[in-house]
Amino acid sequence: AQTVTQSQPEMSVQEAETVTLSCTYDTSESDYYLFWYKQPPSRQMILVIRQEAYKQQNATENRFSVNFQKAAKSFSLKISDSQLGDAAMYFCAYRSAVGFGGSQGNLIFGKGTKLSVKP
Amino acid sequence: ETGVTQSPTHLIKTRGQQVTLRCSSQSGHNTVSWYQQALGQGPQFIFQYYREEENGRGNFPPRFSGLQFPNYSSELNVNALELDDSALYLCASSFSGHGYEKLFFGSGTQLSVL
C-alpha cells in the first residue's frame, strides 16, 4: 500500500522569505501523480501544484515549485516570497494514475504541515 | 470557487443516530469521492462513485454508505454513529475520462457526535 509522510508538523517563515516543506512517499507503482494541497481555515482543499511521475522536470506555479526526486521518493514544496495569505495547512498527496474501473485512484494524504507566516 | 457545494456546513448528532450528508457536484462530473478528515489528520478516502455505482472503497465499515444521482448530487450516509465519526467530511467531484482527472473539493461538513 502507498503511504505519504510529512515529517514537519509545523513550520514558520518570515514574510517575503522562502520556506520548504518536506514530503516522502512509498509506492511500487511507476505511474502516479503527486500533489500539494493548501487548506486554509475555510476548510476547502485548494490544489497548489501537481507533478506527474513520468515527468522529470519539476513543476512550478508562480511562487510555488517542487523538488521531485523519484528515486528517493521525495517531493518537497518550496514557497518563495512568502505572503501572509500562504498561512494554512499544507498536505502532500499521492494518487495512482490507474485506480478504480477506469477512473484514477483516490488521494492518499500525509498528516499535513501547518505553515505560519510572520509579518 | 470550485462549483462543489456541501450541506449542511455543521451538524451535531448523538451516538447511535443516523446522518445524511449531501454534495452537489459540478455539472458534467461523473465521479464523486468522499473523504473523512479527523482533527489534526489528513483526509482519508471513504469511497468513490462513478456513474451512480460505487467503484472504490477505503477502509471504512459498511455503515458508511453512499448514493450518487443523475443530477450530479450525491449523499454520504452513516448509520449507528460513533464518537470517532466526529470529523470533517469532504466530497470531491471530477470527470473520469482520458488523461488527468482534476478533483474539485467542497468546503466540507463538520460532523460532531456527542
Side-chain angles (χ1 to χ4, degrees):
Chain A
Q2 297 82 23
T3 59
V4 176
T5 302
Q6 293 179 250
S7 58
Q8 305 155 317
E10 296 188 27
M11 292 284 284
S12 181
V13 64
Q14 204 73 32
E15 195 176 6
E17 297 294 308
T18 296
V19 65
T20 298
L21 308 184
S22 301
C23 173
T24 59
Y25 62 96
D26 191 25
T27 186
S28 58
E29 298 176 332
S30 60
D31 196 7
Y32 53 88
Y33 299 96
L34 294 166
F35 306 87
W36 279 97
Y37 279 90
K38 171 184 177 182
Q39 188 178 41
S42 66
R43 310 178 313 192
Q44 189 162 54
M45 283 289 182
I46 301 167
L47 178 63
V48 174
I49 200 164
R50 175 183 100 238
Q51 175 79 45
E52 283 95 334
Y54 65 85
K55 289 186 177 179
Q56 292 187 343
Q57 187 173 7
N58 290 323
T60 62
E61 287 286 343
N62 301 314
R63 298 183 295 108
F64 300 88
S65 62
V66 297
N67 183 4
F68 174 46
Q69 301 289 327
K70 190 171 184 179
K73 296 179 182 174
S74 169
F75 183 61
S76 61
L77 174 70
K78 185 171 83 171
I79 306 174
S80 304
D81 186 25
S82 296
Q83 301 175 0
L84 295 177
D86 294 334
M89 284 293 293
Y90 285 81
F91 292 96
C92 178
Y94 171 101
R95 187 182 191 190
S96 174
V98 180
F100 315 116
S103 304
Q104 289 170 359
N106 56 281
L107 286 166
I108 299 169
F109 288 90
K111 290 190 174 183
T113 296
K114 182 177 182 180
L115 179 65
S116 302
V117 181
K118 298 177 181 177
Chain B
E1 194 62 44
T2 65
V4 178
T5 57
Q6 292 187 242
S7 62
T9 55
H10 295 82
L11 198 53
I12 300 174
K13 289 287 188 178
T14 304
R15 189 173 52 183
Q17 285 188 314
Q18 178 266 341
V19 69
T20 298
L21 310 182
R22 294 181 171 82
C23 174
S24 178
S25 302
Q26 276 199 18
S27 179
H29 281 188
N30 54 16
T31 303
V32 64
S33 51
W34 287 87
Y35 290 81
Q36 180 196 66
Q37 186 177 12
L39 189 64
Q41 302 293 318
Q44 281 197 298
F45 174 67
I46 302 174
F47 48 56
Q48 176 174 290
Y49 278 75
Y50 171 67
R51 292 185 175 178
E52 302 162 44
E53 301 258 347
E54 182 182 305
N55 74 339
R57 191 174 186 93
N59 189 26
F60 280 81
R63 61 188 185 85
F64 285 79
S65 63
L67 289 169
Q68 183 187 24
F69 303 102
N71 65 351
Y72 307 114
S73 67
S74 57
E75 293 179 353
L76 164 64
N77 298 290
V78 187
N79 293 323
L81 283 166
E82 300 178 359
L83 297 180
D84 285 349
D85 295 334
S86 295
L88 178 68
Y89 290 84
L90 296 164
C91 77
S93 73
S94 63
F95 177 78
S96 294
H98 297 288
Y100 168 64
E101 302 164 13
K102 184 175 181 179
L103 291 178
F104 294 81
F105 279 89
S107 295
T109 294
Q110 184 67 53
L111 173 65
S112 298
V113 182
L114 306 178

